[in-house]
């Protein structure tokens, strides 16, 4: 009876070892095939940095990072995609228009990359489109890639305190990843 039990354990160990060897060989041959045939899976990966992506951010003690003023051109971000233009004013907000009078009441739009308009040229962003429809308002794009709810709120508070802006309406572009950004979840930090 003792021999039968030990043989069963030996077979399980042998089978497990064969499984590990097979798995190792599978990954080894897969890697070799990828290298030999030149398969490039990087074209499907969007994060964290894509070829030629302009560096748009400066460090900020309170917010972590803020936009860097200037006009940035992202040359052909992907094959077949036209150059993208990101314009950031001296106020460190993405431009939404040919700057109108500061006397107009403001609509502030806060959020992350979807509000900033990452992957879009200036005139394609939501805040720019909204500005085209709201003639009697100044639309302020406070969106910054990677921001969560807390950073968005802090940037709005800074705008009001430093510029004494009369903000009549605040729109917040929320999506579920903001929850993990708010608490600096490990999976989000790892993606940076």
């Amino acid at each position: 009876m003792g021999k039968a039990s030990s043989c069963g354990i030996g077979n399980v160990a042998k089978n497990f070892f064969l499984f590990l060897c097979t798995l190792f060989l599978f990954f080894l041959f897969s890697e070799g095939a990828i290298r030999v045939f030149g398969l490039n899976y990087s074209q499907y990966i969007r994060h964290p940095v894509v070829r030629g992506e302009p560096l748009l951010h400066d460090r900020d003690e309170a917010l972590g990072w803020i936009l860097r003023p200037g006009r940035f051109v992202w040359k052909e971000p992907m094959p077949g995609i036209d150059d993208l233009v990101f314009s950031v004013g001296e106020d460190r907000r993405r431009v939404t228009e040919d700057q109108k009078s500061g006397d107009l009441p403001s609509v502030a739009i806060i959020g992350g990359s979807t509000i900033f308009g990452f992957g879009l040229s200036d005139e394609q962003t939501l805040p720019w489109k909204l500005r085209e429809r709201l003639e009697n308002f100044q639309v302020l794009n406070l969106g910054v890639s990677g921001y969560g709810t807390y950073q968005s709120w802090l940037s709005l508070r800074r705008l009001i305190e430093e510029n004494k802006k009369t903000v009549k309406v605040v729109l917040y572009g929320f999506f579920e990843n903001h929850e993990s950004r708010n608490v600096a979840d490990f999976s989000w930090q790892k993606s940076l």
Side-chain angles (χ1 to χ4, degrees):
M1 185 146 197
K3 285 185 177 182
S5 297
S6 65
C7 286
I9 293 173
N11 284 338
V12 169
K14 186 188 296 182
N15 288 340
F16 184 69
F17 178 73
L18 286 173
F19 170 75
L20 289 178
C21 288
T22 304
L23 193 62
F24 173 76
L25 289 174
F26 169 77
F27 285 117
L28 182 68
F29 286 122
S30 297
E31 179 70 20
I34 288 171
R35 289 176 188 227
V36 167
F37 295 110
L39 300 175
N40 183 4
Y41 62 90
S42 64
Q43 64 184 332
Y44 304 107
I45 299 173
R46 291 182 45 223
H47 200 75
V49 177
V50 181
R51 178 183 59 83
E53 180 181 336
L55 300 174
L56 302 171
H57 303 100
D58 288 328
R59 295 175 61 108
D60 183 82
E61 197 169 306
L63 297 169
W65 60 94
I66 56 176
L67 295 175
R68 175 179 294 159
R71 183 176 185 274
F72 304 90
V73 179
W74 189 356
K75 297 280 187 191
E76 192 181 6
M78 294 168 63
I81 303 293
D82 292 335
D83 295 351
L84 298 175
V85 177
F86 303 107
S87 301
V88 178
E90 290 301 317
D91 55 9
R92 296 185 176 266
R93 292 190 303 267
R94 184 143 188 205
V95 173
T96 58
E97 60 183 303
D98 296 330
Q99 299 297 65
K100 302 288 182 196
S101 168
D103 298 337
L104 292 173
S106 299
V107 174
I109 307 178
I110 61 176
S113 56
T114 55
I115 297 303
F116 170 78
F118 189 80
L120 301 173
S121 284
D122 296 333
E123 68 281 352
Q124 298 171 317
T125 65
L126 172 70
W128 186 289
K129 297 289 186 188
L130 188 60
R131 173 58 192 102
E132 290 177 341
R133 295 183 180 261
L134 299 175
E135 295 176 10
N136 297 322
F137 287 89
Q138 185 178 27
V139 177
L140 308 173
N141 184 347
L142 276 65
V144 177
S145 296
Y147 272 17
T149 308
Y150 187 62
Q151 288 167 301
S152 297
W153 177 77
L154 286 174
S155 67
L156 176 65
R157 188 172 85 177
R158 179 182 284 178
L159 169 79
I160 293 169
E161 289 174 355
E162 290 180 359
N163 299 319
K164 308 295 187 237
K165 288 278 186 192
T166 305
V167 177
K168 295 291 186 183
V169 178
V170 176
L171 300 175
Y172 174 51
F174 175 81
F175 81 111
E176 68 271 1
N177 282 0
H178 287 181
E179 294 172 346
S180 61
R181 291 176 183 177
N182 291 337
V183 295
D185 182 76
F186 176 73
S187 62
W188 175 71
Q189 289 183 36
K190 186 177 173 184
S191 74
L192 295 175

